[in-house]
Amino acid sequence: MAGPYVLGISSGASLGVAFVILGFSSNITPDSLKGLGNWILVAASWIGAGAVMMLIMVISSRVKDIMTILILGIMLSSGISAIVTIMQYFSNETMLKAYVIWTMGSLGNLSVSQLNVLLISVSAGVILSLFSSKMLNALLIGENYAGSIGLNVRFARVVIFACTSILAGSVTAFCGPIGFIGIAVPHIARILFKTSDHKTLIPGTILIGAVVMLISDIISQLPGSESVLPVNAVTSLIGIPMVIWVILRNRKYSGLP
Amino acid sequence: MMKRNSKEILSLDSLKIGYGSGKNENVLLPPLNASADNGELIAVIGRNGIGKSTLLRTLTGLQQPLGGEIFYNGKNIRDYSRMELAQMVGYISTEIIKVSNMRVYDLVALGRFPHTNWIGKIEIRDHEVILDALKKTSMEQFSRKSISELSDGERQKSMIARILAQDTSIMIMDEPTAFLDVAGKYEILHLMHTLSDKSDKTIIFSTHDLQMAINQSDKIWLILDNKLIEGAPEDLMITGAFDHLFDSSTVLFNSEDGTFSFRSETKGSIYIEGDGNKRHWTEKAINRAGFTVSKEKTVPYVIIPDSENYCWQLSGQSNIQECSSIYELISCLAGR
């Protein structure tokens, strides 16, 4: 259940982006960013995502109850939204418009130079995530057992932390905080592939995620009409029922991984 | 102190266990000295909360010792890398693993973690070890079953299969029989016994079942508040070491057969006439009811049923009561 959106990691990335778009000059908008600017945007997003991720990890090393962690994550993302709202209030019209459009999410507003940045960061994240599949499998049985079979739990935490921050951060920076894909898809992959092995689940999740995202994007383009819906709204409308279904289906298992 | 013998696989030298560090250091026990030989089945006994689990976690390397040394095969635990240690020591805690979609095979395969490559590929050799582990724990037919569908006993057996697949010479188990019914307890214990006997595994397990530990283990590490006493169960019986475990004003430990009884004010003594199995259980019942069994004839006294007459005769001063079961006999005694 602990998706990046619920835990506030996407919100953290948004905060980073908000600092760049709303905080500096009115000349910077996602469209006008070129070259180095792209990297600044992505880095801000990573730092935002990483900071929230770090907080969540500090909390989760003390609090073992997953429900408490989820609730704290929701509180955290509400707090971040509040900060962003204040920043919005004090920003000018152009910046505000650029930011609001960014929050609606879009797969389309990317230049080639932005795509390059995205390609490099996402590739790095995917390679790291494949590298962590053995560690994730060990962590399925809990930190104690994972340690007893030879996993360096602290190292694993750092790798998974870096991987999540890079992936969530870079995608959020360019496509906006797109919700519910991150929670729903891994569960769908578990149900479809009927395995707990991350060697299968990670590629499976990437595939299903891409498919669901493209379907959402097609719907948001409203085929046969001129207008375009915010893709964030579409993924929420598709994702929420899926998440509810997964929760009801999995009630027999306490403490979802 | 004993000299280090060639079979010795583990030794604790003034080991201090506990939590925290620096000023917040919370040492649970005085320095511990103990050892284990290859292939021994060792029971760790001690009252609740004394630090058995902490000791076992420290031996597994999941927790740092606060002082003193642990030697595996004569080499300090600090000089082993995490992976090397995981090829030497396996661990089962009381934690219950709940993962959806995990089959018994997957769980056992995780035992291969310290032996597989960076992505955890299961090679033919690993597969053979896993099958062998499943076979030794007689879990082959469950290999494709989801672990959430297992009974407590089956789950514990698959956990044991997991450490077998890990291929360690030492297995550390924290209360391996805690959730099990009597039959399950003995099945697991029998398995542990076989593994230590036939496969030469050194098994160190904690338990609250003193009788089981006394009957089955090669050695006992008895943890008391001020020291750790180690030795064969029988040695500890003779020296009366177990007496320190209990508040001797309420619990009576019988050092002849390793059983307990409550010490209560005796309500009187009763003589029993008769022999055999029925006498044995009648004695037990009379003890439970708070009477002692007298060697000399008393009033009242009990006559055990014989082949002709299936009833317990309770003879008082003037009357004789006939009871058709021990249950009735006890009610009669209580009613007097």
Side-chain angles (χ1 to χ4, degrees):
Chain A
M1 246 336 88
Y5 199 72
V6 175
L7 287 181
I9 295 164
S10 303
S11 311
S14 307
L15 182 65
V17 172
F19 265 115
V20 174
I21 300 181
L22 303 176
F24 297 121
S25 82
S26 55
N27 297 332
I28 298 180
T29 65
D31 301 321
S32 71
L33 284 168
K34 294 272 181 295
L36 194 64
N38 288 327
W39 286 106
I40 294 175
L41 190 68
V42 174
S45 186
W46 286 343
I47 293 168
V52 174
M53 188 80 190
M54 199 121 77
L55 254 173
I56 293 287
M57 282 176 66
V58 170
I59 293 168
S60 67
S61 67
R62 313 232 158 148
V63 186
K64 290 289 166 220
D65 180 29
I66 187 83
M67 278 332 272
T68 314
I69 295 171
L70 285 181
I71 290 166
L72 289 175
I74 292 167
M75 294 297 109
L76 214 57
S77 60
S78 307
I80 293 166
S81 309
I83 297 173
V84 173
T85 309
I86 294 172
M87 290 172 67
Q88 284 176 327
Y89 184 77
F90 286 110
S91 63
N92 68 35
E93 207 180 311
T94 342
M95 300 193 295
L96 188 62
K97 189 168 180 233
Y99 182 75
V100 170
I101 288 176
W102 174 80
T103 57
M104 288 174 176
S106 162
L107 298 187
N109 284 336
L110 266 88
S111 64
V112 176
S113 65
Q114 287 176 326
L115 264 181
N116 283 336
V117 174
L118 192 60
L119 180 71
I120 296 169
S121 350
V122 170
S123 308
V126 167
I127 290 168
L128 261 186
S129 71
L130 288 176
F131 177 71
S132 50
S133 63
K134 186 180 177 183
M135 300 190 281
L136 285 167
N137 282 344
L139 281 172
L140 279 175
I141 56 175
E143 286 184 12
N144 275 330
Y145 283 124
S148 83
I149 58 176
L151 180 75
N152 184 337
V153 175
R154 201 171 293 170
F155 174 72
R157 275 171 174 271
V158 171
V159 173
I160 292 161
F161 162 82
C163 183
T164 312
S165 305
I166 292 174
L167 284 174
S170 36
V171 173
T172 307
F174 293 123
C175 304
I178 294 172
F180 293 99
I181 297 286
I183 320 178
V185 172
H187 286 289
I188 295 167
R190 279 196 197 99
I191 292 164
L192 283 183
F193 292 101
K194 290 194 174 50
T195 177
S196 58
D197 186 354
H198 288 86
K199 285 199 293 294
T200 312
L201 285 178
I202 290 175
T205 303
I206 294 173
L207 270 176
I208 297 172
V211 169
V212 173
M213 195 61 226
L214 286 176
I215 292 174
S216 307
D217 193 50
I218 292 168
I219 296 172
S220 77
Q221 304 292 332
L222 291 177
S225 84
E226 288 290 299
S227 34
V228 176
L229 292 177
V231 74
N232 207 348
V234 179
T235 59
S236 301
L237 289 177
I238 295 180
I240 291 171
M242 283 180 174
V243 173
I244 292 174
W245 176 61
V246 167
I247 293 175
L248 295 179
R249 185 180 178 276
N250 278 356
R251 258 195 323 188
K252 56 186 169 182
Y253 307 114
S254 57
L256 286 163
Chain B
M1 249 179 84
M2 265 194 298
K3 273 204 314 216
R4 183 172 180 268
N5 62 22
S6 56
K7 280 188 77 187
E8 186 178 279
I9 193 163
L10 165 65
S11 77
L12 317 184
D13 184 9
S14 313
L15 178 68
K16 271 166 54 182
I17 56 166
Y19 292 92
S21 57
K23 278 185 188 160
N24 300 321
E25 205 170 80
N26 178 19
V27 182
L28 290 176
L29 285 164
L32 307 173
N33 291 298
S35 67
D37 279 1
N38 203 17
E40 274 184 334
L41 185 61
I42 297 180
V44 181
I45 307 265
R47 66 168 169 78
N48 264 337
I50 199 161
K52 295 190 293 294
S53 298
T54 312
L55 173 64
L56 297 184
R57 287 172 48 83
T58 312
L59 292 181
T60 314
L62 293 172
Q63 212 172 311
Q64 291 301 312
L66 298 183
E69 308 296 342
I70 302 168
F71 293 99
Y72 281 113
N73 277 328
K75 185 175 161 189
N76 198 313
I77 191 170
R78 295 171 211 266
D79 300 331
Y80 282 94
S81 77
R82 203 177 287 266
M83 277 293 179
E84 284 169 342
L85 198 61
Q87 295 176 21
M88 177 97 197
V89 188
Y91 174 66
I92 296 182
S93 72
T94 46
E95 228 175 288
I96 293 174
I97 293 176
K98 282 184 183 159
V99 187
S100 49
N101 285 337
M102 186 182 255
R103 295 164 306 158
V104 171
Y105 184 93
D106 302 328
L107 177 67
V108 178
L110 275 177
R112 297 305 294 163
F113 187 93
H115 304 276
T116 53
N117 66 2
W118 65 277
I119 203 164
K121 186 169 187 291
I122 298 294
E123 311 275 358
I124 296 168
R125 156 96 186 116
D126 298 308
H127 180 66
E128 281 166 359
V129 176
I130 294 165
L131 288 188
D132 186 52
L134 287 167
K135 200 173 144 209
K136 279 191 179 136
T137 49
S138 44
M139 289 293 289
E140 301 120 302
Q141 71 273 33
F142 294 96
S143 106
R144 303 200 68 79
K145 203 169 170 180
S146 163
I147 57 167
S148 51
E149 292 163 12
L150 298 178
S151 73
D152 290 339
E154 289 158 2
R155 192 179 50 235
Q156 200 59 280
K157 280 201 283 181
S158 40
M159 290 305 283
I160 293 176
R162 184 187 56 82
I163 5 186
L164 283 177
Q166 201 176 332
D167 201 15
T168 61
S169 39
I170 300 166
M171 299 179 165
I172 291 178
M173 306 186 189
D174 199 353
E175 295 192 39
T177 56
F179 303 106
L180 308 178
D181 59 15
V182 177
K185 268 188 178 110
Y186 277 88
E187 196 186 357
I188 294 293
L189 197 70
H190 176 70
L191 177 60
M192 287 158 61
H193 207 269
T194 317
L195 289 174
S196 89
D197 225 32
K198 301 260 158 40
S199 309
D200 227 21
K201 303 279 185 192
T202 306
I203 302 180
I204 300 171
F205 70 106
S206 64
T207 180
H208 284 291
D209 195 331
L210 190 53
Q211 225 166 321
M212 191 175 86
I214 289 169
N215 291 335
Q216 303 296 331
S217 55
D218 297 312
K219 196 185 212 179
I220 285 182
W221 290 359
L222 177 65
I223 305 183
L224 301 172
D225 287 301
N226 51 357
K227 62 186 162 189
L228 184 154
I229 304 174
E230 60 170 340
E234 296 76 10
D235 284 331
L236 301 193
M237 295 287 265
I238 291 169
T239 55
F242 293 118
D243 295 343
H244 303 295
L245 272 180
F246 316 100
D247 176 5
S248 51
S249 61
T250 51
V251 182
L252 194 63
F253 181 66
N254 185 338
S255 62
E256 267 167 36
D257 56 2
T259 54
F260 309 95
S261 49
F262 294 111
R263 200 191 284 271
S264 52
E265 296 253 325
T266 173
K267 293 177 187 160
S269 56
I270 287 172
Y271 175 77
I272 301 175
E273 199 175 291
D275 286 308
N277 191 24
K278 291 200 190 79
R279 179 190 172 98
H280 174 74
W281 291 110
T282 310
E283 270 184 24
K284 285 241 174 209
I286 282 174
N287 281 332
R288 178 163 54 83
F291 296 87
T292 52
V293 177
S294 153
K295 291 205 171 79
E296 281 138 40
K297 193 136 184 175
T298 55
V299 176
Y301 66 94
V302 174
I303 301 171
I304 304 290
D306 53 32
S307 47
E308 283 147 40
N309 185 11
Y310 194 86
C311 75
W312 279 261
Q313 284 181 21
L314 177 61
S315 308
Q317 219 102 42
S318 51
N319 59 330
I320 295 178
Q321 280 169 289
E322 296 200 332
C323 309
S324 62
S325 65
I326 290 182
Y327 185 79
E328 261 180 45
L329 175 70
I330 297 300
S331 323
C332 290
L333 271 173
R336 287 177 68 89

